[in-house]
Protein backbone atom coordinates (compact mmCIF):
# COMPACT_ATOMS: atom_id res chain seq x y z
CA UNK A 1 0.00 0.00 0.00
CA UNK A 2 1.36 3.40 -0.99
CA UNK A 3 0.55 6.33 1.31
CA UNK A 4 -2.42 8.42 0.18
CA UNK A 5 -2.22 11.40 2.50
CA UNK A 6 0.28 13.51 4.39
CA UNK A 7 -0.07 16.15 7.04
CA UNK A 8 1.99 18.91 8.59
CA UNK A 9 1.38 20.17 12.11
CA UNK A 10 2.89 22.98 14.13
CA UNK A 11 4.96 22.12 17.23
CA UNK A 12 3.05 22.01 20.53
CA UNK A 13 4.68 25.16 21.95
CA UNK A 14 2.93 27.27 19.31
CA UNK A 15 -0.48 26.71 20.96
CA UNK A 16 0.33 28.74 24.05
CA UNK A 17 2.35 31.20 22.01
CA UNK A 18 -0.58 31.93 19.71
CA UNK A 19 -3.02 32.15 22.62
CA UNK A 20 -0.92 34.93 24.12
CA UNK A 21 -0.44 36.84 20.84
CA UNK A 22 -2.22 40.09 20.02
CA UNK A 23 -5.08 39.67 17.55
CA UNK A 24 -3.88 42.60 15.46
CA UNK A 25 -0.46 43.88 14.46
CA UNK A 26 -0.63 47.38 13.08
CA UNK A 27 2.84 47.94 11.61
CA UNK A 28 5.12 45.78 9.48
CA UNK A 29 7.74 46.09 12.22
CA UNK A 30 5.34 44.58 14.78
CA UNK A 31 4.52 41.79 12.36
CA UNK A 32 8.20 41.14 11.66
CA UNK A 33 9.13 41.13 15.36
CA UNK A 34 6.45 38.46 15.83
CA UNK A 35 7.78 36.14 13.09
CA UNK A 36 11.38 36.64 14.24
CA UNK A 37 10.23 35.45 17.66
CA UNK A 38 8.61 32.41 16.01
CA UNK A 39 11.94 31.56 14.39
CA UNK A 40 13.78 32.12 17.67
CA UNK A 41 11.42 29.83 19.59
CA UNK A 42 11.67 27.13 16.92
CA UNK A 43 15.43 27.10 17.53
CA UNK A 44 15.06 27.26 21.31
CA UNK A 45 12.62 24.32 21.39
CA UNK A 46 14.70 22.43 18.80
CA UNK A 47 11.61 21.87 16.69
CA UNK A 48 13.12 22.87 13.34
CA UNK A 49 15.01 25.45 11.35
CA UNK A 50 15.29 29.13 12.39
CA UNK A 51 12.45 30.34 10.22
CA UNK A 52 9.10 31.85 11.11
CA UNK A 53 6.28 33.24 8.99
CA UNK A 54 2.76 34.54 9.41
CA UNK A 55 -0.16 35.68 7.27
CA UNK A 56 -2.02 38.85 8.22
CA UNK A 57 -4.90 40.81 6.76
CA UNK A 58 -2.79 43.55 5.23
CA UNK A 59 -5.00 46.48 6.16
CA UNK A 60 -6.44 45.49 9.55
CA UNK A 61 -3.33 43.61 10.72
CA UNK A 62 -5.45 40.70 11.94
CA UNK A 63 -3.36 37.54 12.42
CA UNK A 64 -4.69 34.70 10.21
CA UNK A 65 -2.08 31.94 10.53
CA UNK A 66 1.48 31.24 11.58
CA UNK A 67 4.17 28.88 10.34
CA UNK A 68 7.57 27.69 11.44
CA UNK A 69 9.96 25.41 9.67
CA UNK A 70 8.60 21.86 10.18
CA UNK A 71 10.84 19.90 7.79
CA UNK A 72 12.60 17.59 10.23
CA UNK A 73 9.65 17.09 12.62
CA UNK A 74 7.16 16.34 9.86
CA UNK A 75 9.56 14.48 7.56
CA UNK A 76 8.33 16.58 4.64
CA UNK A 77 10.93 18.68 2.82
CA UNK A 78 8.39 21.25 1.60
CA UNK A 79 7.19 22.08 5.13
CA UNK A 80 9.06 25.38 5.26
CA UNK A 81 7.67 28.18 7.43
CA UNK A 82 6.14 29.98 4.43
CA UNK A 83 4.39 26.96 2.88
CA UNK A 84 3.10 26.04 6.34
CA UNK A 85 1.79 29.55 7.10
CA UNK A 86 0.17 29.92 3.65
CA UNK A 87 -1.47 26.48 3.86
CA UNK A 88 -2.79 27.18 7.37
CA UNK A 89 -4.11 30.58 6.23
CA UNK A 90 -5.94 28.87 3.38
CA UNK A 91 -7.36 26.36 5.84
CA UNK A 92 -8.41 29.16 8.22
CA UNK A 93 -10.21 30.96 5.42
CA UNK A 94 -11.53 27.88 3.61
CA UNK A 95 -10.21 29.06 0.27
CA UNK A 96 -7.05 28.12 -1.62
CA UNK A 97 -6.88 31.56 -3.26
CA UNK A 98 -6.50 34.19 -0.58
CA UNK A 99 -7.09 36.96 -3.14
CA UNK A 100 -10.66 35.65 -3.49
CA UNK A 101 -11.22 35.67 0.29
CA UNK A 102 -13.21 38.40 2.07
CA UNK A 103 -10.36 40.69 3.16
CA UNK A 104 -8.86 40.35 -0.36
CA UNK A 105 -5.44 41.70 0.68
CA UNK A 106 -3.32 39.31 2.71
CA UNK A 107 0.33 39.75 3.61
CA UNK A 108 2.97 37.08 4.18
CA UNK A 109 5.66 38.19 6.64
CA UNK A 110 8.83 36.07 6.86
CA UNK A 111 12.04 36.51 8.84
CA UNK A 112 14.08 35.91 5.65
CA UNK A 113 13.69 36.15 1.88
CA UNK A 114 11.85 33.00 0.76
CA UNK A 115 13.76 30.19 -0.94
CA UNK A 116 13.03 29.31 -4.58
CA UNK A 117 10.20 26.94 -3.61
CA UNK A 118 8.50 29.27 -1.14
CA UNK A 119 8.78 32.15 -3.60
CA UNK A 120 6.78 30.10 -6.11
CA UNK A 121 4.36 28.98 -3.38
CA UNK A 122 3.56 32.54 -2.34
CA UNK A 123 2.74 33.49 -5.94
CA UNK A 124 0.05 30.77 -6.10
CA UNK A 125 -1.38 31.54 -2.67
CA UNK A 126 -3.22 34.75 -3.53
CA UNK A 127 -1.32 36.98 -1.09
CA UNK A 128 -0.72 40.48 -2.42
CA UNK A 129 2.14 41.55 -0.15
CA UNK A 130 5.40 39.97 0.99
CA UNK A 131 7.50 41.40 3.82
CA UNK A 132 10.98 39.98 4.45
CA UNK A 133 13.70 40.33 7.11
CA UNK A 134 17.14 38.85 6.41
CA UNK A 135 18.26 38.90 2.79
CA UNK A 136 19.01 35.85 0.72
CA UNK A 137 22.72 36.68 0.91
CA UNK A 138 22.57 36.98 4.70
CA UNK A 139 20.82 33.61 5.05
CA UNK A 140 23.43 31.87 2.91
CA UNK A 141 26.41 33.64 4.52
CA UNK A 142 25.27 33.06 8.11
CA UNK A 143 23.75 29.58 7.94
CA UNK A 144 24.92 27.88 4.69
CA UNK A 145 21.29 26.93 3.97
CA UNK A 146 20.89 26.76 0.19
CA UNK A 147 18.17 29.23 -0.79
CA UNK A 148 17.93 27.74 -4.26
CA UNK A 149 17.85 29.22 -7.76
CA UNK A 150 15.28 32.00 -7.41
CA UNK A 151 14.56 34.05 -10.56
CA UNK A 152 17.12 36.91 -10.83
CA UNK A 153 14.26 39.43 -11.13
CA UNK A 154 12.11 37.83 -8.45
CA UNK A 155 10.84 41.17 -7.15
CA UNK A 156 9.77 42.36 -10.62
CA UNK A 157 8.16 39.01 -11.41
CA UNK A 158 6.22 39.16 -8.14
CA UNK A 159 5.15 42.76 -8.83
CA UNK A 160 3.87 41.72 -12.27
CA UNK A 161 1.66 39.16 -10.54
CA UNK A 162 0.20 41.72 -8.18
CA UNK A 163 2.45 41.04 -5.18
CA UNK A 164 4.30 43.95 -3.58
CA UNK A 165 7.64 43.17 -1.91
CA UNK A 166 8.91 45.02 1.16
CA UNK A 167 12.42 43.95 2.11
CA UNK A 168 14.87 44.30 4.98
CA UNK A 169 12.50 44.94 7.89
CA UNK A 170 14.34 44.40 11.21
CA UNK A 171 17.03 42.57 9.23
CA UNK A 172 19.63 42.73 12.02
CA UNK A 173 17.28 41.12 14.56
CA UNK A 174 16.36 38.51 11.94
CA UNK A 175 20.03 37.71 11.36
CA UNK A 176 20.68 37.27 15.07
CA UNK A 177 18.29 34.28 15.14
CA UNK A 178 20.09 32.76 12.17
CA UNK A 179 23.40 33.18 14.00
CA UNK A 180 21.98 31.54 17.13
CA UNK A 181 20.85 28.56 15.05
CA UNK A 182 24.24 28.18 13.42
CA UNK A 183 25.95 28.43 16.82
CA UNK A 184 23.59 25.82 18.31
CA UNK A 185 25.01 23.18 15.98
CA UNK A 186 21.55 22.07 14.83
CA UNK A 187 21.38 20.65 11.30
CA UNK A 188 21.72 22.66 8.11
CA UNK A 189 19.40 20.37 6.21
CA UNK A 190 20.03 21.12 2.57
CA UNK A 191 19.23 18.01 0.66
CA UNK A 192 22.18 15.65 0.39
CA UNK A 193 24.13 16.50 -2.74
CA UNK A 194 26.87 13.95 -2.85
CA UNK A 195 25.10 10.81 -3.99
CA UNK A 196 27.97 9.58 -6.14
CA UNK A 197 29.26 7.06 -3.62
CA UNK B 1 -8.14 29.47 17.55
CA UNK B 2 -5.84 29.48 14.54
CA UNK B 3 -5.45 26.17 12.67
CA UNK B 4 -2.34 24.19 13.65
CA UNK B 5 -2.27 21.48 11.01
CA UNK B 6 -3.19 20.83 7.42
CA UNK B 7 -3.37 17.70 5.33
CA UNK B 8 -3.50 16.74 1.69
CA UNK B 9 -5.03 13.47 0.51
CA UNK B 10 -5.29 11.82 -2.88
CA UNK B 11 -8.73 11.42 -4.47
CA UNK B 12 -10.52 8.10 -3.77
CA UNK B 13 -10.18 6.77 -7.32
CA UNK B 14 -6.40 6.55 -6.88
CA UNK B 15 -6.75 3.63 -4.44
CA UNK B 16 -8.01 1.17 -7.06
CA UNK B 17 -5.73 2.68 -9.67
CA UNK B 18 -2.63 2.11 -7.54
CA UNK B 19 -3.75 -1.40 -6.59
CA UNK B 20 -3.86 -2.33 -10.28
CA UNK B 21 -0.52 -0.68 -11.16
CA UNK B 22 2.66 -2.66 -11.85
CA UNK B 23 5.15 -2.59 -8.99
CA UNK B 24 8.02 -1.77 -11.31
CA UNK B 25 8.34 0.43 -14.40
CA UNK B 26 11.52 -0.29 -16.28
CA UNK B 27 11.73 2.55 -18.81
CA UNK B 28 11.16 6.30 -18.54
CA UNK B 29 8.49 5.94 -21.22
CA UNK B 30 6.53 3.43 -19.08
CA UNK B 31 6.87 5.76 -16.11
CA UNK B 32 5.72 8.74 -18.15
CA UNK B 33 2.74 6.87 -19.63
CA UNK B 34 1.70 6.09 -16.05
CA UNK B 35 1.79 9.72 -14.86
CA UNK B 36 0.05 10.94 -18.03
CA UNK B 37 -2.74 8.49 -17.17
CA UNK B 38 -2.85 9.93 -13.63
CA UNK B 39 -3.35 13.41 -15.10
CA UNK B 40 -6.00 12.11 -17.50
CA UNK B 41 -7.95 10.39 -14.72
CA UNK B 42 -7.76 13.50 -12.52
CA UNK B 43 -9.49 15.39 -15.33
CA UNK B 44 -12.01 12.60 -16.01
CA UNK B 45 -13.01 12.35 -12.33
CA UNK B 46 -13.01 16.14 -12.00
CA UNK B 47 -10.78 15.91 -8.95
CA UNK B 48 -8.31 18.61 -9.97
CA UNK B 49 -5.95 19.96 -12.60
CA UNK B 50 -4.54 17.84 -15.44
CA UNK B 51 -1.28 17.02 -13.73
CA UNK B 52 0.15 13.73 -12.52
CA UNK B 53 3.49 12.81 -10.97
CA UNK B 54 5.18 9.81 -9.40
CA UNK B 55 8.39 8.96 -7.59
CA UNK B 56 10.27 5.80 -8.56
CA UNK B 57 13.48 4.17 -7.47
CA UNK B 58 15.54 5.27 -10.46
CA UNK B 59 17.41 2.04 -11.01
CA UNK B 60 14.87 -0.66 -10.09
CA UNK B 61 11.83 1.27 -11.33
CA UNK B 62 9.90 0.47 -8.15
CA UNK B 63 6.93 2.79 -7.66
CA UNK B 64 7.23 4.67 -4.35
CA UNK B 65 4.44 7.26 -4.44
CA UNK B 66 2.05 9.05 -6.77
CA UNK B 67 0.60 12.53 -6.86
CA UNK B 68 -2.11 14.39 -8.75
CA UNK B 69 -3.04 18.04 -8.56
CA UNK B 70 -5.10 18.41 -5.36
CA UNK B 71 -5.35 22.22 -5.12
CA UNK B 72 -9.11 22.68 -5.40
CA UNK B 73 -10.12 19.52 -3.48
CA UNK B 74 -7.73 20.16 -0.60
CA UNK B 75 -8.05 23.96 -0.57
CA UNK B 76 -4.25 24.21 -0.43
CA UNK B 77 -2.56 26.08 -3.29
CA UNK B 78 0.74 24.23 -2.89
CA UNK B 79 -0.87 20.79 -3.37
CA UNK B 80 0.42 20.42 -6.91
CA UNK B 81 1.04 16.91 -8.26
CA UNK B 82 4.80 17.17 -7.70
CA UNK B 83 4.67 18.46 -4.11
CA UNK B 84 2.07 15.77 -3.33
CA UNK B 85 4.12 12.95 -4.89
CA UNK B 86 7.36 14.07 -3.20
CA UNK B 87 5.67 14.44 0.19
CA UNK B 88 4.05 11.01 -0.09
CA UNK B 89 7.37 9.48 -1.15
CA UNK B 90 9.01 11.00 1.92
CA UNK B 91 6.21 9.60 4.07
CA UNK B 92 6.55 6.17 2.43
CA UNK B 93 10.27 6.13 3.15
CA UNK B 94 10.14 7.87 6.52
CA UNK B 95 12.79 10.37 5.56
CA UNK B 96 12.49 13.96 4.32
CA UNK B 97 15.72 13.65 2.30
CA UNK B 98 15.26 10.94 -0.32
CA UNK B 99 18.97 11.08 -1.15
CA UNK B 100 19.66 9.71 2.34
CA UNK B 101 17.16 6.85 1.90
CA UNK B 102 18.23 3.27 1.11
CA UNK B 103 17.87 3.30 -2.68
CA UNK B 104 19.65 6.69 -2.76
CA UNK B 105 18.57 7.48 -6.33
CA UNK B 106 14.93 8.46 -6.71
CA UNK B 107 13.31 9.91 -9.82
CA UNK B 108 10.39 12.30 -10.07
CA UNK B 109 8.39 11.82 -13.27
CA UNK B 110 5.87 14.53 -14.19
CA UNK B 111 3.61 14.98 -17.22
CA UNK B 112 4.83 18.61 -17.57
CA UNK B 113 7.80 20.75 -16.62
CA UNK B 114 7.31 21.75 -12.96
CA UNK B 115 6.17 25.27 -12.09
CA UNK B 116 8.49 27.63 -10.20
CA UNK B 117 7.31 26.29 -6.81
CA UNK B 118 7.56 22.60 -7.68
CA UNK B 119 10.97 23.15 -9.24
CA UNK B 120 12.19 24.48 -5.90
CA UNK B 121 10.39 21.70 -4.03
CA UNK B 122 12.09 18.97 -6.04
CA UNK B 123 15.52 20.43 -5.28
CA UNK B 124 14.90 20.08 -1.53
CA UNK B 125 13.42 16.60 -1.76
CA UNK B 126 16.61 14.66 -2.40
CA UNK B 127 15.56 13.21 -5.76
CA UNK B 128 18.45 12.93 -8.21
CA UNK B 129 16.50 12.69 -11.47
CA UNK B 130 13.61 14.63 -13.01
CA UNK B 131 11.73 13.40 -16.10
CA UNK B 132 9.22 15.72 -17.79
CA UNK B 133 6.63 15.45 -20.56
CA UNK B 134 5.03 18.65 -21.89
CA UNK B 135 7.28 21.72 -21.92
CA UNK B 136 6.63 24.89 -19.98
CA UNK B 137 5.74 26.66 -23.25
CA UNK B 138 3.25 23.92 -24.15
CA UNK B 139 1.55 24.11 -20.75
CA UNK B 140 1.14 27.87 -21.00
CA UNK B 141 0.04 27.83 -24.67
CA UNK B 142 -2.49 25.03 -24.25
CA UNK B 143 -3.97 25.73 -20.82
CA UNK B 144 -3.08 29.33 -19.82
CA UNK B 145 -1.90 28.02 -16.44
CA UNK B 146 0.85 30.35 -15.20
CA UNK B 147 3.98 28.27 -14.67
CA UNK B 148 5.63 31.08 -12.75
CA UNK B 149 9.07 32.69 -12.89
CA UNK B 150 11.38 29.69 -12.96
CA UNK B 151 15.13 30.44 -13.10
CA UNK B 152 16.21 30.92 -16.77
CA UNK B 153 18.94 28.28 -16.32
CA UNK B 154 16.76 25.89 -14.32
CA UNK B 155 18.31 22.81 -15.91
CA UNK B 156 21.88 23.93 -15.16
CA UNK B 157 20.95 24.95 -11.61
CA UNK B 158 19.37 21.51 -11.05
CA UNK B 159 22.43 19.75 -12.50
CA UNK B 160 24.69 21.71 -10.15
CA UNK B 161 22.63 20.34 -7.24
CA UNK B 162 23.01 16.76 -8.41
CA UNK B 163 19.67 16.45 -10.24
CA UNK B 164 19.68 15.22 -13.86
CA UNK B 165 16.86 16.51 -16.09
CA UNK B 166 15.36 14.43 -18.92
CA UNK B 167 12.83 16.42 -20.93
CA UNK B 168 10.17 15.83 -23.56
CA UNK B 169 9.28 12.18 -22.90
CA UNK B 170 5.92 11.36 -24.61
CA UNK B 171 5.32 15.10 -24.89
CA UNK B 172 2.53 14.77 -27.46
CA UNK B 173 0.53 12.37 -25.29
CA UNK B 174 1.14 14.66 -22.32
CA UNK B 175 -0.20 17.63 -24.30
CA UNK B 176 -3.35 15.76 -25.29
CA UNK B 177 -4.41 15.57 -21.62
CA UNK B 178 -3.82 19.31 -21.25
CA UNK B 179 -6.01 19.93 -24.30
CA UNK B 180 -8.76 17.69 -22.89
CA UNK B 181 -8.70 19.69 -19.66
CA UNK B 182 -8.92 23.00 -21.46
CA UNK B 183 -11.80 21.70 -23.60
CA UNK B 184 -13.64 20.38 -20.52
CA UNK B 185 -14.09 23.95 -19.27
CA UNK B 186 -12.74 23.09 -15.80
CA UNK B 187 -11.02 25.96 -13.96
CA UNK B 188 -7.63 27.40 -14.83
CA UNK B 189 -6.86 28.25 -11.23
CA UNK B 190 -4.04 30.75 -11.38
CA UNK B 191 -4.25 32.88 -8.33
CA UNK B 192 -6.51 35.87 -8.83
CA UNK B 193 -4.40 38.77 -10.08
CA UNK B 194 -6.82 41.64 -10.32
CA UNK B 195 -7.32 42.68 -6.72
CA UNK B 196 -7.53 46.37 -7.49
CA UNK B 197 -11.31 46.60 -7.26
Amino acid sequence: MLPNSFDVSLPDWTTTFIAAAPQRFLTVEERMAFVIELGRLNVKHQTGGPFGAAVFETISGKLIAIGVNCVMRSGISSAHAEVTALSLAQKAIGQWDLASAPAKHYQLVVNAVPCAMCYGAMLWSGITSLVTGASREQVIAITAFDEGPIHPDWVGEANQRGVEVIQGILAEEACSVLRDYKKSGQPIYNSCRDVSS
Side-chain angles (χ1 to χ4, degrees), chain A residues 125-170:
Chain A
S125 71
I127 63 150
T128 57
S129 178
L130 170 69
V131 179
T132 65
S135 72
R136 180 177 164 79
E137 292 69 28
Q138 288 170 323
V139 173
I140 296 170
I142 296 171
T143 65
F145 276 113
D146 183 354
E147 285 271 89
I150 203 169
H151 192 287
D153 184 27
W154 64 273
V155 173
E157 292 280 347
N159 293 163
Q160 280 177 38
R161 289 170 174 81
V163 181
E164 68 168 358
V165 178
I166 302 167
Q167 296 188 68
I169 303 298
L170 304 185

Side-chain angles (χ1 to χ4, degrees), chain A residues 1 8 21 30 45-46 59 98 102 105 112 117 132 145-147 152 165 173 194:
Chain A
M1 275 296 289
V8 174
E30 287 174 49
H45 292 287
Q46 302 196 18
I59 295 163
L98 296 174
H105 289 281
M117 171 186 72
T132 65
F145 276 113
D146 183 354
E147 285 271 89
V165 178
E173 291 86 330
D194 179 10

Side-chain angles (χ1 to χ4, degrees), chain A residues 26-192:
Chain A
L26 295 184
T27 67
V28 290
E29 287 79 11
E30 287 174 49
R31 298 172 198 180
M32 181 60 69
F34 179 69
V35 302
I36 290 173
E37 184 64 5
L38 282 172
R40 197 185 69 75
L41 288 170
N42 211 32
V43 177
K44 180 185 163 198
H45 292 287
Q46 302 196 18
T47 44
F51 301 106
V55 175
F56 300 91
E57 288 184 4
T58 308
I59 295 163
S60 74
K62 183 183 174 191
L63 176 64
I64 303 298
I66 70 161
V68 292
N69 180 288
C70 299
V71 171
M72 292 181 288
R73 273 181 51 259
S74 65
I76 302 288
S77 62
S78 62
H80 286 196
E82 298 93 319
V83 166
T84 302
L86 292 167
S87 301
L88 293 176
Q90 291 167 341
K91 183 169 172 184
I93 284 170
Q95 164 63 265
W96 67 266
D97 179 12
L98 296 174
S100 300
K104 207 179 268 187
H105 289 281
Y106 294 87
Q107 182 175 69
L108 175 67
V109 182
V110 198
N111 65 343
V113 168
C115 78
M117 171 186 72
C118 292
Y119 170 68
M122 70 107 184
L123 294 175
W124 306 151
S125 71
I127 63 150
T128 57
S129 178
L130 170 69
V131 179
T132 65
S135 72
R136 180 177 164 79
E137 292 69 28
Q138 288 170 323
V139 173
I140 296 170
I142 296 171
T143 65
F145 276 113
D146 183 354
E147 285 271 89
I150 203 169
H151 192 287
D153 184 27
W154 64 273
V155 173
E157 292 280 347
N159 293 163
Q160 280 177 38
R161 289 170 174 81
V163 181
E164 68 168 358
V165 178
I166 302 167
Q167 296 188 68
I169 303 298
L170 304 185
E172 189 41 49
E173 291 86 330
C175 287
S176 76
V177 173
L178 302 180
R179 284 191 202 99
D180 288 348
Y181 186 77
K182 182 70 177 172
K183 263 189 264 173
S184 76
Q186 292 178 66
I188 303 300
Y189 47 87
N190 297 317
S191 176
C192 180

